Amino acid sequence: MTPLVTTMTHEARIIRHAGLAYTRARQEAGLATVERALRGYYDWRAEAAAGRGGDGLPGIVRAWGTAELLSVNAEKWGELRVGEAGLRLELHGTPELLHYRASGVPAFALIHYRALVSALMRAADLPDDVEAGWQGDSLVLEAGQAPPSGEGTLPGVPLTGEDGLALLRATTENRGALLVYLGREAEQAFGADGDLMFREAVRAFGAERGAAMRLDHLSKGLTLDLVNMMELYDSGGNEDVWQYRDEGTLTPVEWSQDCTFCPFVQPWHDLDGLRYGEVYDYEFHVSQFKAYREDIEVKWGELMSRGDATCEFRFSIPGPVPA
């Protein structure tokens, strides 16, 4: 499912941009901040999986809810073997891993998956020491007493059908929580400077996506306008996850529509993180849309990250759009 792969890649992009912004500002201390944020994020997710009925380590993995674990075997991205006392995870083709490698930051893959595996172990009340390293192009992580080849649970949820759609929705919702952990950890560590670091990371995430859409559309001979941006948007599942009122306006120079459901909002509420959601809403959209086309005006009426019932998108391009 292309939207799910795109969504998984977006999560890796956020982690990469946070890692780059935080280490640029505070070097080793910045990297340690990203690691603490990921540890908190995956602890939150592992505890939620255990609460959904996960019984021991295999049960927690089965209840995990998203594809970076559940689809590894089904999509042949590597191999995950899980037993009652430990697991072995070998990865060579997950969307996140491919993104980190293509971006020249494979170290972030190590940090990312080490935080995930150690959280699984803690949730199962097992020692959380993780051995992690590269074997050629594969990242291998082992924790506890991993089952030998041919034994243990091998979860396998494909990216298709209703199961794939459930993975997409859960993956998108979890991104809202990831933003809170990255923003809060930076602010707690560095105060106002941490807030600036988080904003820089979010702006870079938005600008990268907007610039990529700009280049893609120009290469196809398309006009850079709001119709093409919205109809060819790179969200990875916008129509399947976000919900909008039917009424609205979409022309080359105006997008005016009300979003009635955003998957990020519930995690923002659950984690008392609306403030980080508001930072994301503003910094991401301004950077993304202006990287696509500099003169797009980015405005809202209501905004859910401010506690409103909807997000009233009111984006426009002043003057005529050139052919």
Side-chain angles (χ1 to χ4, degrees):
M1 180 186 286
T2 300
L4 181 50
V5 170
T6 300
T7 298
M8 296 168 73
T9 305
H10 287 339
E11 183 164 314
R13 280 196 175 101
I14 290 172
I15 294 169
R16 175 172 64 88
H17 283 298
L20 292 174
Y22 294 10
T23 56
R24 186 181 301 117
R26 295 300 176 99
Q27 300 177 1
E28 293 88 349
L31 186 61
T33 301
V34 175
E35 290 191 82
R36 286 195 303 274
L38 290 174
R39 183 182 176 100
Y41 168 62
Y42 281 117
D43 277 341
W44 175 78
R45 290 190 54 188
E47 290 167 9
R52 289 193 294 269
D55 182 14
L57 187 58
I60 292 169
V61 170
R62 281 193 295 268
W64 185 246
T66 55
E68 78 269 46
L69 285 181
L70 297 182
S71 299
V72 167
N73 295 321
E75 297 298 322
K76 303 188 186 309
W77 291 335
E79 183 184 60
L80 170 61
R81 298 199 307 268
V82 186
E84 292 294 339
L87 64 80
R88 184 180 191 275
L89 177 61
E90 179 176 348
L91 303 170
H92 54 74
T94 68
E96 297 95 337
L97 187 69
L98 294 177
H99 175 75
Y100 292 131
R101 281 212 308 247
S103 302
V105 288
F108 289 155
L110 191 67
I111 293 167
H112 180 158
Y113 282 100
R114 188 167 56 205
L116 190 164
V117 171
S118 66
L120 290 170
M121 298 295 284
R122 283 190 294 276
D125 294 322
L126 294 168
D128 65 351
D129 293 336
V130 179
E131 294 183 7
W134 294 93
Q135 295 182 10
D137 288 334
S138 295
L139 177 60
V140 178
L141 304 100
E142 292 189 352
Q145 299 175 24
S149 181
E151 297 183 19
T153 300
L154 282 80
V157 181
L159 304 186
T160 56
E162 289 301 317
D163 287 340
L165 186 56
L167 294 175
L168 171 63
R169 288 170 175 160
T171 302
T172 309
E173 180 177 297
N174 287 334
R175 199 193 314 165
L178 173 63
L179 292 163
V180 174
Y181 279 100
L182 288 169
R184 180 172 286 150
E185 196 65 46
E187 192 170 37
Q188 288 178 347
F190 306 117
D193 286 348
D195 176 74
L196 294 176
M197 291 155 56
F198 178 58
R199 290 175 183 271
E200 180 186 343
V202 174
R203 285 196 296 269
F205 173 60
E208 180 179 63
R209 289 176 57 183
M213 283 192 287
R214 175 187 178 89
L215 180 60
D216 179 60
H217 295 180
L218 287 174
S219 71
K220 294 173 179 174
L222 300 174
T223 302
L224 299 179
D225 61 35
L226 285 168
V227 169
N228 286 327
M229 183 162 192
M230 298 314 302
E231 290 188 346
L232 301 173
Y233 194 65
D234 73 335
S235 71
N238 195 62
E239 294 179 357
D240 292 314
V241 181
W242 279 262
Q243 297 174 13
Y244 294 85
R245 291 202 175 105
D246 289 339
E247 62 269 21
T249 301
L250 179 60
T251 72
V253 297
E254 181 182 2
W255 177 44
S256 178
Q257 196 167 23
D258 298 346
C259 177
T260 58
F261 175 78
C262 169
F264 300 159
V265 174
Q266 190 59 54
W268 290 345
H269 279 289
D270 291 345
L271 296 168
D272 193 24
L274 277 179
R275 197 181 87 70
Y276 304 101
E278 186 176 2
V279 169
Y280 173 80
D281 274 337
Y282 178 79
E283 300 288 2
F284 169 74
H285 287 97
V286 170
S287 296
Q288 184 191 42
F289 277 75
K290 287 189 172 294
Y292 180 77
R293 180 175 164 134
E294 177 102 24
D295 57 349
I296 294 179
E297 293 183 350
V298 179
K299 297 179 180 178
W300 293 268
E302 290 188 346
L303 193 58
M304 282 185 262
S305 60
R306 296 181 191 140
D308 297 324
T310 65
C311 289
E312 296 176 337
F313 291 95
R314 302 293 184 264
F315 295 4
S316 62
I317 300 174
V321 177

